[in-house]
Amino acid sequence: MRHCEVSCAIISWDSMRSMPEPERDFQRERTRMVATQIAARGVKDPRVLAAMKRVPRERFLLLEDRGLAHEDHAVAIGRGQTLSQPYMVAKMTEELCLTGSERVLEIGTGSGYQTAILAELAAEIFTVERIEELSLRARHTLEELGYRNIRFRVGDGSQGWGEFAPYERILVTAGAPELPPSLVAQLAPGGILAIPVGDERSQILTIVSKTADGRIVQSRSTLCTFVKLIGQEGWTAEK
Ligand code: SAH
């Protein structure tokens, strides 16, 4: 035991990056990630912090990239898409003020990591991804981890998911040129929509609240950089 404590203490963070998976202490890396990247930058919601400590972020990455799971940046997930930086996931989730009872629409399933965080904190998640391969991989990971409160759809989420609308919360994890009218329409009275809006290089995380009588109030949260929301009410696909 004593020997283990001593040898763990002398393993540097850099050497852990190249360690094979079973030898790594991902839980420890996660706890450190939450303290140094998320709580230290001002995210306070205790439910968000606890969820970020619980969900095994490495499981949403390709095997060869799992060592990067808890680093302070986005990570590639294939097909030109990325899993967002841990802080950005936490910040966007906190902006949604989830209490546990909400139905949430997520646009941009990607790896499914943000979906898992939402599934920990809300009642039911409806998630849309335009790339089938990513949707299927995310679904497999989330089912393996035991999540049962998620519905998946492959398609253009810039137009929302009319079938189950309205939603108390909507989260878009890709950058839009402007606010997609369909998403605003599918937001329930009293609801909150968080969406990065801006040009291709940088966006502002925009928070849209719908009052009980249906008025729209917008506020600006933080600067961010997301891949493009491609679709009817987003950017045009590149040929
Ligand atoms: N939340 C994701 C981040 C994925 S990056 C995660 O935790 O991993 C954004 C994703 O949005 C990409 O997978 C991209 O394919 C998807 N996307 C872009 N435009 C979309 C659209 N119109 N509808 C649905 N998904 C879209």
Side-chain angles (χ1 to χ4, degrees):
M1 187 63 196
R2 183 156 182 81
H3 170 73
C4 171
E5 278 166 19
V6 171
S7 58
C8 290
I10 57 166
I11 295 173
S12 76
W13 216 247
D14 279 344
S15 64
M16 283 189 67
R17 269 176 210 172
S18 52
M19 266 187 174
E21 223 187 301
E23 289 173 39
R24 292 180 67 125
D25 187 348
F26 282 119
Q27 177 64 64
R28 186 162 159 259
E29 289 182 33
R30 221 153 39 232
T31 302
R32 185 183 148 108
M33 170 190 87
V34 170
T36 61
Q37 302 174 35
I38 299 174
R41 292 184 181 137
V43 173
K44 290 191 179 65
D45 184 334
R47 296 181 71 238
V48 173
L49 298 175
M52 301 278 304
K53 272 188 211 161
R54 256 190 326 263
V55 176
R57 189 170 151 97
E58 69 282 359
R59 294 281 296 273
F60 296 85
L61 291 173
L62 301 169
L63 273 180
E64 62 269 28
D65 290 330
R66 290 191 173 176
L68 306 172
H70 303 97
E71 294 193 5
D72 193 10
H73 52 73
V75 185
I77 54 172
R79 303 293 302 267
Q81 310 303 320
T82 55
L83 163 56
S84 307
Q85 177 195 29
Y87 168 72
M88 197 46 67
V89 173
K91 178 71 183 166
M92 292 202 296
T93 309
E94 183 172 61
E95 293 284 7
L96 295 179
C97 305
L98 295 167
T99 63
S101 62
E102 296 84 3
R103 297 164 79 250
V104 183
L105 173 65
E106 180 195 37
I107 308 302
T109 315
S111 68
Y113 174 69
Q114 171 76 72
T115 321
I117 299 290
L118 295 172
E120 293 270 337
L121 299 173
E124 209 177 355
I125 315 303
F126 301 81
T127 186
V128 185
E129 169 57 55
R130 63 184 284 274
I131 301 174
E132 184 177 29
E133 179 191 332
L134 296 182
S135 178
L136 291 174
R137 205 196 299 153
R139 183 179 194 144
H140 178 76
T141 310
L142 289 160
E143 284 178 357
E144 232 176 40
L145 289 172
Y147 292 100
R148 297 284 176 265
N149 56 342
I150 305 170
R151 288 185 196 229
F152 300 83
R153 189 167 91 87
V154 176
D156 176 12
S158 71
Q159 302 179 89
W161 190 349
E163 194 184 345
F164 298 102
Y167 305 93
E168 282 92 43
R169 301 289 186 266
I170 301 179
L171 177 62
V172 183
T173 63
E178 53 203 36
L179 220 50
S182 296
L183 295 183
V184 178
Q186 290 174 25
L187 188 62
I192 303 173
L193 155 68
I195 176 168
V197 179
D199 62 28
E200 293 156 52
R201 268 188 257 143
S202 88
Q203 306 90 35
I204 292 178
L205 180 61
T206 304
I207 312 300
V208 179
S209 307
K210 195 180 261 187
T211 60
D213 58 1
R215 274 182 310 117
I216 299 300
V217 180
Q218 273 191 58
S219 64
R220 293 147 72 93
S221 172
T222 183
L223 267 180
C224 50
T225 305
F226 280 85
V227 297
K228 288 199 256 179
L229 179 75
I230 294 172
Q232 201 70 34
E233 296 181 37
W235 297 95
T236 311
E238 274 145 24
K239 302 263 150 45

mmCIF file of all heavy atoms in Angstrom, residues 148-188:
data_model
loop_
_atom_site.group_PDB
_atom_site.id
_atom_site.type_symbol
_atom_site.label_atom_id
_atom_site.label_comp_id
_atom_site.label_asym_id
_atom_site.label_seq_id
_atom_site.Cartn_x
_atom_site.Cartn_y
_atom_site.Cartn_z
ATOM 1 N N ARG A 148 -31.313 5.416 -20.105
ATOM 2 C CA ARG A 148 -32.564 4.929 -20.693
ATOM 3 C C ARG A 148 -33.545 6.070 -20.973
ATOM 4 O O ARG A 148 -34.673 5.825 -21.350
ATOM 5 C CB ARG A 148 -33.241 3.917 -19.740
ATOM 6 C CG ARG A 148 -32.427 2.666 -19.494
ATOM 7 C CD ARG A 148 -32.471 1.705 -20.693
ATOM 8 N NE ARG A 148 -31.604 0.542 -20.488
ATOM 9 C CZ ARG A 148 -30.353 0.450 -20.936
ATOM 10 N NH1 ARG A 148 -29.803 1.444 -21.597
ATOM 11 N NH2 ARG A 148 -29.636 -0.642 -20.728
ATOM 12 N N ASN A 149 -33.126 7.313 -20.742
ATOM 13 C CA ASN A 149 -34.049 8.447 -20.901
ATOM 14 C C ASN A 149 -33.675 9.324 -22.097
ATOM 15 O O ASN A 149 -33.829 10.531 -22.060
ATOM 16 C CB ASN A 149 -34.095 9.289 -19.617
ATOM 17 C CG ASN A 149 -32.719 9.783 -19.183
ATOM 18 O OD1 ASN A 149 -31.692 9.262 -19.619
ATOM 19 N ND2 ASN A 149 -32.693 10.792 -18.328
ATOM 20 N N ILE A 150 -33.167 8.683 -23.166
ATOM 21 C CA ILE A 150 -32.707 9.440 -24.333
ATOM 22 C C ILE A 150 -33.364 8.896 -25.602
ATOM 23 O O ILE A 150 -33.400 7.678 -25.816
ATOM 24 C CB ILE A 150 -31.169 9.318 -24.490
ATOM 25 C CG1 ILE A 150 -30.457 9.745 -23.200
ATOM 26 C CG2 ILE A 150 -30.681 10.157 -25.668
ATOM 27 C CD1 ILE A 150 -28.969 9.421 -23.181
ATOM 28 N N ARG A 151 -33.882 9.800 -26.444
ATOM 29 C CA ARG A 151 -34.366 9.411 -27.774
ATOM 30 C C ARG A 151 -33.467 10.026 -28.827
ATOM 31 O O ARG A 151 -33.105 11.191 -28.701
ATOM 32 C CB ARG A 151 -35.779 9.909 -28.016
ATOM 33 C CG ARG A 151 -36.810 9.171 -27.214
ATOM 34 C CD ARG A 151 -38.164 9.666 -27.632
ATOM 35 N NE ARG A 151 -39.134 9.274 -26.653
ATOM 36 C CZ ARG A 151 -40.277 8.682 -26.943
ATOM 37 N NH1 ARG A 151 -40.572 8.433 -28.206
ATOM 38 N NH2 ARG A 151 -41.116 8.359 -25.996
ATOM 39 N N PHE A 152 -33.130 9.245 -29.841
ATOM 40 C CA PHE A 152 -32.170 9.676 -30.857
ATOM 41 C C PHE A 152 -32.865 9.884 -32.198
ATOM 42 O O PHE A 152 -33.781 9.150 -32.553
ATOM 43 C CB PHE A 152 -31.090 8.598 -31.054
ATOM 44 C CG PHE A 152 -30.299 8.307 -29.804
ATOM 45 C CD1 PHE A 152 -30.784 7.441 -28.837
ATOM 46 C CD2 PHE A 152 -29.065 8.908 -29.596
ATOM 47 C CE1 PHE A 152 -30.055 7.178 -27.684
ATOM 48 C CE2 PHE A 152 -28.329 8.645 -28.446
ATOM 49 C CZ PHE A 152 -28.833 7.776 -27.489
ATOM 50 N N ARG A 153 -32.378 10.869 -32.942
ATOM 51 C CA ARG A 153 -32.865 11.045 -34.309
ATOM 52 C C ARG A 153 -31.702 11.470 -35.193
ATOM 53 O O ARG A 153 -30.840 12.248 -34.757
ATOM 54 C CB ARG A 153 -33.935 12.129 -34.359
ATOM 55 C CG ARG A 153 -34.623 12.207 -35.727
ATOM 56 C CD ARG A 153 -35.877 13.060 -35.631
ATOM 57 N NE ARG A 153 -35.616 14.447 -35.926
ATOM 58 C CZ ARG A 153 -35.623 14.971 -37.165
ATOM 59 N NH1 ARG A 153 -35.861 14.209 -38.208
ATOM 60 N NH2 ARG A 153 -35.385 16.236 -37.337
ATOM 61 N N VAL A 154 -31.677 10.935 -36.410
ATOM 62 C CA VAL A 154 -30.691 11.381 -37.396
ATOM 63 C C VAL A 154 -31.412 12.324 -38.348
ATOM 64 O O VAL A 154 -32.448 11.971 -38.906
ATOM 65 C CB VAL A 154 -30.102 10.181 -38.185
ATOM 66 C CG1 VAL A 154 -29.151 10.664 -39.270
ATOM 67 C CG2 VAL A 154 -29.379 9.238 -37.227
ATOM 68 N N GLY A 155 -30.878 13.537 -38.488
ATOM 69 C CA GLY A 155 -31.522 14.490 -39.394
ATOM 70 C C GLY A 155 -31.048 15.895 -39.127
ATOM 71 O O GLY A 155 -30.085 16.116 -38.383
ATOM 72 N N ASP A 156 -31.735 16.852 -39.741
ATOM 73 C CA ASP A 156 -31.375 18.260 -39.604
ATOM 74 C C ASP A 156 -32.047 18.868 -38.366
ATOM 75 O O ASP A 156 -33.222 19.190 -38.382
ATOM 76 C CB ASP A 156 -31.810 19.018 -40.868
ATOM 77 C CG ASP A 156 -31.560 20.512 -40.746
ATOM 78 O OD1 ASP A 156 -30.859 20.935 -39.795
ATOM 79 O OD2 ASP A 156 -32.075 21.257 -41.604
ATOM 80 N N GLY A 157 -31.251 19.033 -37.332
ATOM 81 C CA GLY A 157 -31.780 19.571 -36.082
ATOM 82 C C GLY A 157 -31.946 21.084 -36.076
ATOM 83 O O GLY A 157 -32.484 21.637 -35.121
ATOM 84 N N SER A 158 -31.478 21.774 -37.137
ATOM 85 C CA SER A 158 -31.677 23.236 -37.142
ATOM 86 C C SER A 158 -33.169 23.545 -37.206
ATOM 87 O O SER A 158 -33.607 24.630 -36.861
ATOM 88 C CB SER A 158 -30.938 23.890 -38.323
ATOM 89 O OG SER A 158 -31.563 23.589 -39.550
ATOM 90 N N GLN A 159 -33.948 22.542 -37.630
ATOM 91 C CA GLN A 159 -35.403 22.706 -37.658
ATOM 92 C C GLN A 159 -36.065 22.063 -36.448
ATOM 93 O O GLN A 159 -37.286 21.920 -36.398
ATOM 94 C CB GLN A 159 -35.954 22.087 -38.939
ATOM 95 C CG GLN A 159 -35.346 22.717 -40.183
ATOM 96 C CD GLN A 159 -35.875 22.069 -41.449
ATOM 97 O OE1 GLN A 159 -36.886 22.475 -41.997
ATOM 98 N NE2 GLN A 159 -35.182 21.046 -41.889
ATOM 99 N N GLY A 160 -35.256 21.676 -35.468
ATOM 100 C CA GLY A 160 -35.776 21.077 -34.236
ATOM 101 C C GLY A 160 -36.296 19.666 -34.455
ATOM 102 O O GLY A 160 -35.845 18.955 -35.354
ATOM 103 N N TRP A 161 -37.198 19.262 -33.590
ATOM 104 C CA TRP A 161 -37.824 17.934 -33.677
ATOM 105 C C TRP A 161 -39.278 18.143 -33.293
ATOM 106 O O TRP A 161 -39.641 18.051 -32.116
ATOM 107 C CB TRP A 161 -37.111 16.968 -32.724
ATOM 108 C CG TRP A 161 -37.481 15.526 -32.871
ATOM 109 C CD1 TRP A 161 -38.506 14.997 -33.606
ATOM 110 C CD2 TRP A 161 -36.815 14.410 -32.261
ATOM 111 N NE1 TRP A 161 -38.523 13.639 -33.505
ATOM 112 C CE2 TRP A 161 -37.498 13.246 -32.690
ATOM 113 C CE3 TRP A 161 -35.727 14.279 -31.401
ATOM 114 C CZ2 TRP A 161 -37.124 11.974 -32.270
ATOM 115 C CZ3 TRP A 161 -35.349 13.008 -30.981
ATOM 116 C CH2 TRP A 161 -36.026 11.866 -31.418
ATOM 117 N N GLY A 162 -40.079 18.482 -34.335
ATOM 118 C CA GLY A 162 -41.463 18.911 -34.120
ATOM 119 C C GLY A 162 -42.322 17.913 -33.371
ATOM 120 O O GLY A 162 -43.167 18.292 -32.558
ATOM 121 N N GLU A 163 -42.073 16.639 -33.613
ATOM 122 C CA GLU A 163 -42.925 15.580 -33.072
ATOM 123 C C GLU A 163 -43.123 15.652 -31.559
ATOM 124 O O GLU A 163 -44.211 15.372 -31.048
ATOM 125 C CB GLU A 163 -42.275 14.246 -33.450
ATOM 126 C CG GLU A 163 -43.164 13.046 -33.283
ATOM 127 C CD GLU A 163 -42.404 11.753 -33.583
ATOM 128 O OE1 GLU A 163 -41.300 11.824 -34.180
ATOM 129 O OE2 GLU A 163 -42.907 10.697 -33.199
ATOM 130 N N PHE A 164 -42.080 15.995 -30.824
ATOM 131 C CA PHE A 164 -42.182 15.976 -29.360
ATOM 132 C C PHE A 164 -42.203 17.369 -28.733
ATOM 133 O O PHE A 164 -42.133 17.514 -27.519
ATOM 134 C CB PHE A 164 -41.037 15.144 -28.754
ATOM 135 C CG PHE A 164 -41.064 13.713 -29.183
ATOM 136 C CD1 PHE A 164 -40.211 13.250 -30.158
ATOM 137 C CD2 PHE A 164 -41.982 12.823 -28.622
ATOM 138 C CE1 PHE A 164 -40.237 11.919 -30.580
ATOM 139 C CE2 PHE A 164 -42.020 11.498 -29.031
ATOM 140 C CZ PHE A 164 -41.154 11.046 -30.017
ATOM 141 N N ALA A 165 -42.273 18.417 -29.571
ATOM 142 C CA ALA A 165 -42.262 19.795 -29.057
ATOM 143 C C ALA A 165 -43.568 20.071 -28.295
ATOM 144 O O ALA A 165 -44.580 19.411 -28.559
ATOM 145 C CB ALA A 165 -42.126 20.760 -30.232
ATOM 146 N N PRO A 166 -43.600 21.025 -27.365
ATOM 147 C CA PRO A 166 -42.493 21.920 -27.013
ATOM 148 C C PRO A 166 -41.558 21.316 -25.956
ATOM 149 O O PRO A 166 -41.901 20.349 -25.290
ATOM 150 C CB PRO A 166 -43.233 23.131 -26.430
ATOM 151 C CG PRO A 166 -44.456 22.535 -25.779
ATOM 152 C CD PRO A 166 -44.838 21.358 -26.630
ATOM 153 N N TYR A 167 -40.384 21.919 -25.854
ATOM 154 C CA TYR A 167 -39.358 21.477 -24.901
ATOM 155 C C TYR A 167 -39.099 22.575 -23.873
ATOM 156 O O TYR A 167 -39.060 23.749 -24.228
ATOM 157 C CB TYR A 167 -38.055 21.173 -25.648
ATOM 158 C CG TYR A 167 -38.242 20.172 -26.766
ATOM 159 C CD1 TYR A 167 -38.501 20.612 -28.069
ATOM 160 C CD2 TYR A 167 -38.184 18.807 -26.535
ATOM 161 C CE1 TYR A 167 -38.698 19.709 -29.103
ATOM 162 C CE2 TYR A 167 -38.382 17.893 -27.567
ATOM 163 C CZ TYR A 167 -38.643 18.348 -28.846
ATOM 164 O OH TYR A 167 -38.844 17.449 -29.873
ATOM 165 N N GLU A 168 -38.883 22.172 -22.636
ATOM 166 C CA GLU A 168 -38.578 23.178 -21.592
ATOM 167 C C GLU A 168 -37.178 23.752 -21.757
ATOM 168 O O GLU A 168 -36.901 24.862 -21.316
ATOM 169 C CB GLU A 168 -38.688 22.559 -20.194
ATOM 170 C CG GLU A 168 -40.115 22.407 -19.693
ATOM 171 C CD GLU A 168 -40.675 21.049 -20.034
ATOM 172 O OE1 GLU A 168 -39.945 20.049 -19.879
ATOM 173 O OE2 GLU A 168 -41.848 20.984 -20.461
ATOM 174 N N ARG A 169 -36.297 22.940 -22.343
ATOM 175 C CA ARG A 169 -34.932 23.421 -22.590
ATOM 176 C C ARG A 169 -34.490 22.938 -23.971
ATOM 177 O O ARG A 169 -34.819 21.822 -24.362
ATOM 178 C CB ARG A 169 -33.938 22.854 -21.561
ATOM 179 C CG ARG A 169 -34.248 23.183 -20.107
ATOM 180 C CD ARG A 169 -34.019 24.647 -19.782
ATOM 181 N NE ARG A 169 -34.187 24.895 -18.362
ATOM 182 C CZ ARG A 169 -35.331 25.300 -17.795
ATOM 183 N NH1 ARG A 169 -36.420 25.503 -18.525
ATOM 184 N NH2 ARG A 169 -35.389 25.512 -16.488
ATOM 185 N N ILE A 170 -33.699 23.795 -24.643
ATOM 186 C CA ILE A 170 -33.082 23.392 -25.916
ATOM 187 C C ILE A 170 -31.613 23.806 -25.869
ATOM 188 O O ILE A 170 -31.294 24.937 -25.489
ATOM 189 C CB ILE A 170 -33.780 24.051 -27.132
ATOM 190 C CG1 ILE A 170 -35.279 23.670 -27.168
ATOM 191 C CG2 ILE A 170 -33.088 23.654 -28.432
ATOM 192 C CD1 ILE A 170 -36.073 24.297 -28.321
ATOM 193 N N LEU A 171 -30.736 22.850 -26.219
ATOM 194 C CA LEU A 171 -29.306 23.135 -26.253
ATOM 195 C C LEU A 171 -28.768 22.805 -27.639
ATOM 196 O O LEU A 171 -28.961 21.692 -28.137
ATOM 197 C CB LEU A 171 -28.575 22.284 -25.206
ATOM 198 C CG LEU A 171 -27.057 22.428 -25.183
ATOM 199 C CD1 LEU A 171 -26.645 23.858 -24.857
ATOM 200 C CD2 LEU A 171 -26.445 21.469 -24.171
ATOM 201 N N VAL A 172 -28.111 23.766 -28.259
ATOM 202 C CA VAL A 172 -27.504 23.541 -29.568
ATOM 203 C C VAL A 172 -25.995 23.530 -29.372
ATOM 204 O O VAL A 172 -25.429 24.494 -28.843
ATOM 205 C CB VAL A 172 -27.918 24.645 -30.565
ATOM 206 C CG1 VAL A 172 -27.336 24.349 -31.947
ATOM 207 C CG2 VAL A 172 -29.440 24.758 -30.632
ATOM 208 N N THR A 173 -25.337 22.445 -29.790
ATOM 209 C CA THR A 173 -23.891 22.350 -29.566
ATOM 210 C C THR A 173 -23.131 22.511 -30.871
ATOM 211 O O THR A 173 -22.073 21.911 -31.080
ATOM 212 C CB THR A 173 -23.507 21.038 -28.855
ATOM 213 O OG1 THR A 173 -23.846 19.949 -29.710
ATOM 214 C CG2 THR A 173 -24.228 20.881 -27.543
ATOM 215 N N ALA A 174 -23.672 23.316 -31.771
ATOM 216 C CA ALA A 174 -22.990 23.698 -33.012
ATOM 217 C C ALA A 174 -23.342 25.165 -33.260
ATOM 218 O O ALA A 174 -24.379 25.643 -32.803
ATOM 219 C CB ALA A 174 -23.452 22.810 -34.164
ATOM 220 N N GLY A 175 -22.438 25.869 -33.991
ATOM 221 C CA GLY A 175 -22.598 27.316 -34.144
ATOM 222 C C GLY A 175 -23.537 27.691 -35.277
ATOM 223 O O GLY A 175 -23.385 27.210 -36.400
ATOM 224 N N ALA A 176 -24.507 28.574 -35.008
ATOM 225 C CA ALA A 176 -25.481 28.995 -36.019
ATOM 226 C C ALA A 176 -25.200 30.427 -36.462
ATOM 227 O O ALA A 176 -24.725 31.241 -35.673
ATOM 228 C CB ALA A 176 -26.890 28.902 -35.440
ATOM 229 N N PRO A 177 -25.520 30.743 -37.751
ATOM 230 C CA PRO A 177 -25.342 32.133 -38.206
ATOM 231 C C PRO A 177 -26.353 33.072 -37.558
ATOM 232 O O PRO A 177 -26.080 34.243 -37.364
ATOM 233 C CB PRO A 177 -25.559 32.035 -39.719
ATOM 234 C CG PRO A 177 -26.265 30.736 -39.958
ATOM 235 C CD PRO A 177 -25.958 29.841 -38.818
ATOM 236 N N GLU A 178 -27.529 32.563 -37.254
ATOM 237 C CA GLU A 178 -28.535 33.340 -36.526
ATOM 238 C C GLU A 178 -29.469 32.383 -35.792
ATOM 239 O O GLU A 178 -29.351 31.168 -35.941
ATOM 240 C CB GLU A 178 -29.301 34.253 -37.472
ATOM 241 C CG GLU A 178 -29.882 33.529 -38.644
ATOM 242 C CD GLU A 178 -30.142 34.452 -39.829
ATOM 243 O OE1 GLU A 178 -29.334 35.374 -40.041
ATOM 244 O OE2 GLU A 178 -31.140 34.233 -40.515
ATOM 245 N N LEU A 179 -30.366 32.955 -35.006
ATOM 246 C CA LEU A 179 -31.271 32.135 -34.217
ATOM 247 C C LEU A 179 -32.241 31.378 -35.130
ATOM 248 O O LEU A 179 -32.981 32.011 -35.878
ATOM 249 C CB LEU A 179 -32.071 33.107 -33.332
ATOM 250 C CG LEU A 179 -32.371 32.719 -31.905
ATOM 251 C CD1 LEU A 179 -31.150 32.266 -31.168
ATOM 252 C CD2 LEU A 179 -33.022 33.911 -31.207
ATOM 253 N N PRO A 180 -32.256 30.027 -35.097
ATOM 254 C CA PRO A 180 -33.193 29.301 -35.959
ATOM 255 C C PRO A 180 -34.638 29.470 -35.460
ATOM 256 O O PRO A 180 -34.956 29.079 -34.331
ATOM 257 C CB PRO A 180 -32.731 27.844 -35.813
ATOM 258 C CG PRO A 180 -31.328 27.918 -35.295
ATOM 259 C CD PRO A 180 -31.310 29.128 -34.417
ATOM 260 N N PRO A 181 -35.516 30.059 -36.286
ATOM 261 C CA PRO A 181 -36.886 30.319 -35.847
ATOM 262 C C PRO A 181 -37.615 29.056 -35.360
ATOM 263 O O PRO A 181 -38.396 29.127 -34.403
ATOM 264 C CB PRO A 181 -37.561 30.882 -37.106
ATOM 265 C CG PRO A 181 -36.443 31.383 -37.958
ATOM 266 C CD PRO A 181 -35.254 30.560 -37.645
ATOM 267 N N SER A 182 -37.355 27.906 -35.990
ATOM 268 C CA SER A 182 -38.052 26.672 -35.572
ATOM 269 C C SER A 182 -37.730 26.313 -34.129
ATOM 270 O O SER A 182 -38.593 25.823 -33.391
ATOM 271 C CB SER A 182 -37.653 25.498 -36.458
ATOM 272 O OG SER A 182 -38.065 25.717 -37.766
ATOM 273 N N LEU A 183 -36.469 26.553 -33.723
ATOM 274 C CA LEU A 183 -36.090 26.197 -32.348
ATOM 275 C C LEU A 183 -36.784 27.128 -31.353
ATOM 276 O O LEU A 183 -37.259 26.685 -30.307
ATOM 277 C CB LEU A 183 -34.569 26.250 -32.171
ATOM 278 C CG LEU A 183 -33.773 25.230 -32.995
ATOM 279 C CD1 LEU A 183 -32.292 25.331 -32.688
ATOM 280 C CD2 LEU A 183 -34.265 23.810 -32.729
ATOM 281 N N VAL A 184 -36.856 28.403 -31.704
ATOM 282 C CA VAL A 184 -37.551 29.351 -30.827
ATOM 283 C C VAL A 184 -39.025 28.947 -30.718
ATOM 284 O O VAL A 184 -39.606 28.945 -29.624
ATOM 285 C CB VAL A 184 -37.410 30.802 -31.359
ATOM 286 C CG1 VAL A 184 -38.171 31.770 -30.484
ATOM 287 C CG2 VAL A 184 -35.934 31.198 -31.439
ATOM 288 N N ALA A 185 -39.603 28.527 -31.838
ATOM 289 C CA ALA A 185 -41.024 28.137 -31.838
ATOM 290 C C ALA A 185 -41.249 26.880 -30.992
ATOM 291 O O ALA A 185 -42.300 26.732 -30.362
ATOM 292 C CB ALA A 185 -41.487 27.896 -33.274
ATOM 293 N N GLN A 186 -40.245 25.983 -30.954
ATOM 294 C CA GLN A 186 -40.431 24.725 -30.217
ATOM 295 C C GLN A 186 -40.069 24.826 -28.735
ATOM 296 O O GLN A 186 -40.113 23.844 -28.005
ATOM 297 C CB GLN A 186 -39.620 23.609 -30.896
ATOM 298 C CG GLN A 186 -40.218 23.214 -32.238
ATOM 299 C CD GLN A 186 -39.370 22.223 -33.009
ATOM 300 O OE1 GLN A 186 -38.578 21.472 -32.430
ATOM 301 N NE2 GLN A 186 -39.537 22.203 -34.320
ATOM 302 N N LEU A 187 -39.719 26.034 -28.303
ATOM 303 C CA LEU A 187 -39.390 26.246 -26.882
ATOM 304 C C LEU A 187 -40.690 26.513 -26.110
ATOM 305 O O LEU A 187 -41.506 27.323 -26.519
ATOM 306 C CB LEU A 187 -38.447 27.455 -26.784
ATOM 307 C CG LEU A 187 -37.817 27.762 -25.434
ATOM 308 C CD1 LEU A 187 -36.928 26.605 -24.963
ATOM 309 C CD2 LEU A 187 -36.992 29.054 -25.518
ATOM 310 N N ALA A 188 -40.858 25.821 -24.990
ATOM 311 C CA ALA A 188 -42.080 25.988 -24.176
ATOM 312 C C ALA A 188 -42.054 27.335 -23.456
ATOM 313 O O ALA A 188 -40.969 27.869 -23.188
ATOM 314 C CB ALA A 188 -42.152 24.853 -23.159
#
